Tab-separated table of all heavy atoms in Angstrom:
chain	number	residue	atom	x	y	z
A	1	ASP	N	90.902	112.333	65.330
A	1	ASP	CA	91.406	113.573	65.925
A	1	ASP	C	92.008	113.359	67.316
A	1	ASP	O	91.699	114.053	68.272
A	1	ASP	CB	90.269	114.620	65.969
A	1	ASP	CG	90.837	116.035	66.176
A	1	ASP	OD1	92.014	116.245	65.850
A	1	ASP	OD2	90.093	116.880	66.679
A	2	LYS	N	92.888	112.371	67.421
A	2	LYS	CA	93.491	111.991	68.699
A	2	LYS	C	94.560	112.998	69.101
A	2	LYS	O	95.561	113.129	68.415
A	2	LYS	CB	94.085	110.583	68.577
A	2	LYS	CG	94.457	109.922	69.918
A	2	LYS	CD	93.218	109.542	70.672
A	2	LYS	CE	93.575	108.725	71.894
A	2	LYS	NZ	93.989	107.355	71.512
A	3	ARG	N	94.349	113.723	70.188
A	3	ARG	CA	95.316	114.730	70.684
A	3	ARG	C	96.254	114.104	71.694
A	3	ARG	O	95.880	113.186	72.447
A	3	ARG	CB	94.567	115.905	71.326
A	3	ARG	CG	93.436	116.473	70.532
A	3	ARG	CD	93.914	117.134	69.236
A	3	ARG	NE	94.745	118.318	69.491
A	3	ARG	CZ	95.169	119.126	68.531
A	3	ARG	NH1	94.890	118.858	67.256
A	3	ARG	NH2	95.911	120.176	68.837
A	4	THR	N	97.488	114.566	71.707
A	4	THR	CA	98.486	113.997	72.613
A	4	THR	C	99.527	115.034	72.962
A	4	THR	O	99.725	116.027	72.246
A	4	THR	CB	99.172	112.775	71.964
A	4	THR	OG1	100.162	112.265	72.863
A	4	THR	CG2	99.840	113.163	70.661
A	5	ARG	N	100.209	114.802	74.142
A	5	ARG	CA	101.297	115.666	74.569
A	5	ARG	C	102.664	115.021	74.247
A	5	ARG	O	103.703	115.658	74.429
A	5	ARG	CB	101.224	115.948	76.044
A	5	ARG	CG	99.985	116.774	76.470
A	5	ARG	CD	99.970	116.947	77.984
A	5	ARG	NE	98.840	117.764	78.398
A	5	ARG	CZ	98.830	119.077	78.450
A	5	ARG	NH1	99.928	119.748	78.099
A	5	ARG	NH2	97.737	119.711	78.841
A	6	ASN	N	102.667	113.775	73.766
A	6	ASN	CA	103.911	113.070	73.487
A	6	ASN	C	104.310	113.250	72.014
A	6	ASN	O	103.471	113.410	71.167
A	6	ASN	CB	103.745	111.565	73.757
A	6	ASN	CG	103.343	111.299	75.202
A	6	ASN	OD1	103.831	111.932	76.125
A	6	ASN	ND2	102.419	110.343	75.378
A	7	PHE	N	105.575	113.240	71.782
A	7	PHE	CA	106.051	113.278	70.414
A	7	PHE	C	107.305	112.414	70.300
A	7	PHE	O	108.010	112.144	71.273
A	7	PHE	CB	106.339	114.707	69.925
A	7	PHE	CG	107.384	115.430	70.706
A	7	PHE	CD1	108.748	115.337	70.337
A	7	PHE	CD2	107.065	116.186	71.822
A	7	PHE	CE1	109.710	116.006	71.045
A	7	PHE	CE2	108.040	116.852	72.545
A	7	PHE	CZ	109.363	116.766	72.170
A	8	CYS	N	107.597	111.971	69.081
A	8	CYS	CA	108.702	111.079	68.838
A	8	CYS	C	110.020	111.875	68.786
A	8	CYS	O	110.117	112.889	68.087
A	8	CYS	CB	108.499	110.349	67.485
A	8	CYS	SG	109.867	109.268	67.009
A	9	ASP	N	110.995	111.425	69.549
A	9	ASP	CA	112.293	112.105	69.566
A	9	ASP	C	113.053	111.980	68.241
A	9	ASP	O	113.959	112.748	67.965
A	9	ASP	CB	113.180	111.531	70.685
A	9	ASP	CG	112.640	111.912	72.062
A	9	ASP	OD1	112.041	112.991	72.171
A	9	ASP	OD2	112.827	111.114	72.994
A	10	LYS	N	112.664	111.001	67.411
A	10	LYS	CA	113.399	110.784	66.172
A	10	LYS	C	112.816	111.557	65.005
A	10	LYS	O	113.502	112.267	64.291
A	10	LYS	CB	113.420	109.288	65.830
A	10	LYS	CG	114.243	108.980	64.580
A	10	LYS	CD	114.448	107.481	64.409
A	10	LYS	CE	115.285	107.169	63.184
A	10	LYS	NZ	116.607	107.769	63.243
A	11	CYS	N	111.482	111.422	64.781
A	11	CYS	CA	110.853	112.118	63.648
A	11	CYS	C	110.172	113.421	64.054
A	11	CYS	O	109.701	114.157	63.198
A	11	CYS	CB	109.867	111.195	62.948
A	11	CYS	SG	108.392	110.813	63.945
A	12	ASN	N	110.051	113.645	65.382
A	12	ASN	CA	109.477	114.906	65.876
A	12	ASN	C	107.966	115.019	65.630
A	12	ASN	O	107.424	116.108	65.628
A	12	ASN	CB	110.188	116.114	65.304
A	12	ASN	CG	110.157	117.310	66.264
A	12	ASN	OD1	110.056	117.118	67.477
A	12	ASN	ND2	110.236	118.504	65.706
A	13	HIS	N	107.297	113.887	65.356
A	13	HIS	CA	105.861	113.890	65.133
A	13	HIS	C	105.140	113.650	66.456
A	13	HIS	O	105.628	112.932	67.334
A	13	HIS	CB	105.455	112.799	64.153
A	13	HIS	CG	105.774	113.127	62.731
A	13	HIS	ND1	106.103	112.178	61.779
A	13	HIS	CD2	105.844	114.315	62.077
A	13	HIS	CE1	106.330	112.754	60.635
A	13	HIS	NE2	106.188	114.063	60.805
A	14	TRP	N	103.949	114.261	66.612
A	14	TRP	CA	103.115	113.941	67.772
A	14	TRP	C	102.636	112.483	67.676
A	14	TRP	O	102.227	112.030	66.603
A	14	TRP	CB	101.890	114.845	67.826
A	14	TRP	CG	102.231	116.315	68.031
A	14	TRP	CD1	102.193	117.315	67.104
A	14	TRP	CD2	102.630	116.936	69.271
A	14	TRP	NE1	102.555	118.517	67.665
A	14	TRP	CE2	102.826	118.313	68.984
A	14	TRP	CE3	102.867	116.467	70.561
A	14	TRP	CZ2	103.238	119.233	69.959
A	14	TRP	CZ3	103.258	117.356	71.523
A	14	TRP	CH2	103.449	118.723	71.238
A	15	VAL	N	102.700	111.776	68.795
A	15	VAL	CA	102.215	110.396	68.823
A	15	VAL	C	101.430	110.148	70.106
A	15	VAL	O	101.831	110.597	71.193
A	15	VAL	CB	103.348	109.348	68.715
A	15	VAL	CG1	103.911	109.290	67.319
A	15	VAL	CG2	104.473	109.657	69.707
A	16	CYS	N	100.302	109.481	70.000
A	16	CYS	CA	99.478	109.174	71.178
A	16	CYS	C	100.053	107.987	71.913
A	16	CYS	O	101.001	107.332	71.460
A	16	CYS	CB	98.028	108.903	70.745
A	16	CYS	SG	97.857	107.428	69.760
A	17	GLY	N	99.446	107.667	73.063
A	17	GLY	CA	99.941	106.564	73.878
A	17	GLY	C	99.866	105.227	73.177
A	17	GLY	O	100.653	104.325	73.438
A	18	LYS	N	98.909	105.098	72.244
A	18	LYS	CA	98.754	103.822	71.505
A	18	LYS	C	99.954	103.566	70.629
A	18	LYS	O	100.348	102.430	70.409
A	18	LYS	CB	97.472	103.904	70.674
A	18	LYS	CG	97.214	102.683	69.834
A	18	LYS	CD	95.926	102.869	69.038
A	18	LYS	CE	95.684	101.668	68.113
A	18	LYS	NZ	94.461	101.845	67.310
A	19	HIS	N	100.539	104.634	70.058
A	19	HIS	CA	101.662	104.468	69.124
A	19	HIS	C	102.988	104.897	69.737
A	19	HIS	O	104.000	104.970	69.029
A	19	HIS	CB	101.392	105.313	67.849
A	19	HIS	CG	100.175	104.901	67.092
A	19	HIS	ND1	99.007	105.603	67.151
A	19	HIS	CD2	99.955	103.830	66.274
A	19	HIS	CE1	98.095	105.000	66.392
A	19	HIS	NE2	98.650	103.931	65.854
A	20	TYR	N	103.001	105.177	71.055
A	20	TYR	CA	104.209	105.663	71.703
A	20	TYR	C	104.777	104.553	72.577
A	20	TYR	O	104.053	103.897	73.296
A	20	TYR	CB	103.874	106.888	72.543
A	20	TYR	CG	105.066	107.538	73.242
A	20	TYR	CD1	105.903	108.365	72.545
A	20	TYR	CD2	105.320	107.280	74.575
A	20	TYR	CE1	106.985	108.975	73.177
A	20	TYR	CE2	106.385	107.864	75.205
A	20	TYR	CZ	107.223	108.710	74.502
A	20	TYR	OH	108.288	109.277	75.136
A	21	SER	N	106.063	104.322	72.486
A	21	SER	CA	106.697	103.317	73.362
A	21	SER	C	108.046	103.834	73.815
A	21	SER	O	108.748	104.515	73.058
A	21	SER	CB	106.845	101.967	72.640
A	21	SER	OG	107.709	102.061	71.558
A	22	LYS	N	108.405	103.465	75.050
A	22	LYS	CA	109.668	103.896	75.607
A	22	LYS	C	110.731	102.841	75.306
A	22	LYS	O	110.481	101.651	75.393
A	22	LYS	CB	109.555	104.089	77.091
A	22	LYS	CG	108.555	105.177	77.492
A	22	LYS	CD	108.445	105.318	78.997
A	22	LYS	CE	107.441	106.398	79.369
A	22	LYS	NZ	107.286	106.542	80.816
A	23	VAL	N	111.920	103.277	74.949
A	23	VAL	CA	113.011	102.347	74.613
A	23	VAL	C	114.255	102.761	75.361
A	23	VAL	O	114.397	103.917	75.804
A	23	VAL	CB	113.300	102.330	73.099
A	23	VAL	CG1	112.125	101.755	72.340
A	23	VAL	CG2	113.643	103.720	72.588
A	24	CYS	N	115.201	101.823	75.516
A	24	CYS	CA	116.460	102.124	76.228
A	24	CYS	C	117.437	102.796	75.256
A	24	CYS	O	117.202	102.892	74.061
A	24	CYS	CB	117.056	100.829	76.775
A	24	CYS	SG	117.530	99.639	75.504
A	25	SER	N	118.571	103.203	75.810
A	25	SER	CA	119.540	103.954	75.014
A	25	SER	C	120.142	103.102	73.888
A	25	SER	O	120.460	103.590	72.815
A	25	SER	CB	120.654	104.498	75.927
A	25	SER	OG	121.295	103.421	76.591
A	26	SER	N	120.304	101.794	74.121
A	26	SER	CA	120.882	100.918	73.108
A	26	SER	C	119.944	100.778	71.911
A	26	SER	O	120.383	100.745	70.752
A	26	SER	CB	121.205	99.531	73.671
A	26	SER	OG	120.023	98.914	74.142
A	27	CYS	N	118.640	100.732	72.198
A	27	CYS	CA	117.674	100.656	71.102
A	27	CYS	C	117.591	101.958	70.356
A	27	CYS	O	117.348	101.986	69.146
A	27	CYS	CB	116.292	100.301	71.653
A	27	CYS	SG	116.167	98.621	72.307
A	28	MET	N	117.811	103.059	71.076
A	28	MET	CA	117.791	104.362	70.396
A	28	MET	C	118.927	104.464	69.377
A	28	MET	O	118.809	105.196	68.391
A	28	MET	CB	117.937	105.501	71.445
A	28	MET	CG	116.695	105.720	72.265
A	28	MET	SD	115.332	106.358	71.291
A	28	MET	CE	115.961	107.956	70.838
A	29	ASP	N	120.015	103.724	69.615
A	29	ASP	CA	121.141	103.770	68.702
A	29	ASP	C	121.013	102.781	67.540
A	29	ASP	O	121.887	102.724	66.669
A	29	ASP	CB	122.451	103.477	69.483
A	29	ASP	CG	122.735	104.559	70.497
A	29	ASP	OD1	122.293	105.692	70.255
A	29	ASP	OD2	123.414	104.254	71.497
A	30	SER	N	119.948	101.974	67.538
A	30	SER	CA	119.791	100.979	66.490
A	30	SER	C	119.346	101.668	65.191
A	30	SER	O	119.055	102.867	65.133
A	30	SER	CB	118.762	99.914	66.914
A	30	SER	OG	117.503	100.504	67.117
A	31	SER	N	119.244	100.854	64.119
A	31	SER	CA	118.893	101.432	62.815
A	31	SER	C	117.491	101.973	62.792
A	31	SER	O	116.625	101.569	63.562
A	31	SER	CB	119.074	100.350	61.744
A	31	SER	OG	118.104	99.342	61.930
A	32	SER	N	117.265	102.887	61.897
A	32	SER	CA	115.955	103.539	61.768
A	32	SER	C	114.897	102.537	61.349
A	32	SER	O	113.733	102.672	61.741
A	32	SER	CB	116.034	104.663	60.744
A	32	SER	OG	116.402	104.159	59.490
A	33	ASP	N	115.271	101.521	60.603
A	33	ASP	CA	114.276	100.542	60.167
A	33	ASP	C	113.721	99.753	61.356
A	33	ASP	O	112.523	99.466	61.438
A	33	ASP	CB	114.882	99.568	59.171
A	33	ASP	CG	115.096	100.215	57.805
A	33	ASP	OD1	114.445	101.235	57.541
A	33	ASP	OD2	115.934	99.699	57.033
A	34	VAL	N	114.589	99.404	62.320
A	34	VAL	CA	114.148	98.698	63.521
A	34	VAL	C	113.247	99.593	64.344
A	34	VAL	O	112.211	99.173	64.855
A	34	VAL	CB	115.359	98.237	64.345
A	34	VAL	CG1	114.896	97.603	65.638
A	34	VAL	CG2	116.195	97.234	63.535
A	35	MET	N	113.603	100.876	64.487
A	35	MET	CA	112.789	101.812	65.225
A	35	MET	C	111.394	101.945	64.599
A	35	MET	O	110.361	101.992	65.270
A	35	MET	CB	113.458	103.163	65.271
A	35	MET	CG	114.628	103.225	66.261
A	35	MET	SD	114.066	103.112	67.984
A	35	MET	CE	113.139	104.613	68.136
A	36	ASP	N	111.363	102.006	63.249
A	36	ASP	CA	110.097	102.138	62.567
A	36	ASP	C	109.217	100.945	62.798
A	36	ASP	O	107.997	101.055	62.967
A	36	ASP	CB	110.334	102.329	61.061
A	36	ASP	CG	110.977	103.670	60.767
A	36	ASP	OD1	110.821	104.595	61.607
A	36	ASP	OD2	111.612	103.800	59.708
A	37	ASP	N	109.821	99.748	62.838
A	37	ASP	CA	109.046	98.539	63.079
A	37	ASP	C	108.478	98.520	64.500
A	37	ASP	O	107.357	98.087	64.729
A	37	ASP	CB	109.911	97.300	62.853
A	37	ASP	CG	110.228	97.117	61.386
A	37	ASP	OD1	109.488	97.665	60.531
A	37	ASP	OD2	111.222	96.434	61.080
C-alpha cells in the first residue's frame, strides 16, 4: 500500500520514488520500450 505524490507522465500511473526516475528530453522522445525498461 505504498502511497506517492509522483506519477508517470507517459502512462499517468502513480509511481513511488523506488520506481520513479527523472529523464532528459531526448530520453522522453525515445521509444516506449526503452522507457519501459
Side-chain angles (χ1 to χ4, degrees):
D1 196 23
K2 193 71 172 288
R3 310 295 294 186
T4 179
R5 294 178 178 274
N6 302 319
F7 61 90
C8 177
D9 291 330
K10 183 170 181 60
C11 68
N12 209 26
H13 284 148
W14 295 105
V15 286
C16 66
K18 178 181 177 181
H19 299 102
Y20 182 80
S21 65
K22 298 178 180 179
V23 295
C24 64
S25 58
S26 61
C27 291
M28 286 293 294
D29 296 333
S30 63
S31 66
S32 60
D33 287 339
V34 175
M35 284 292 294
D36 291 337
D37 290 337

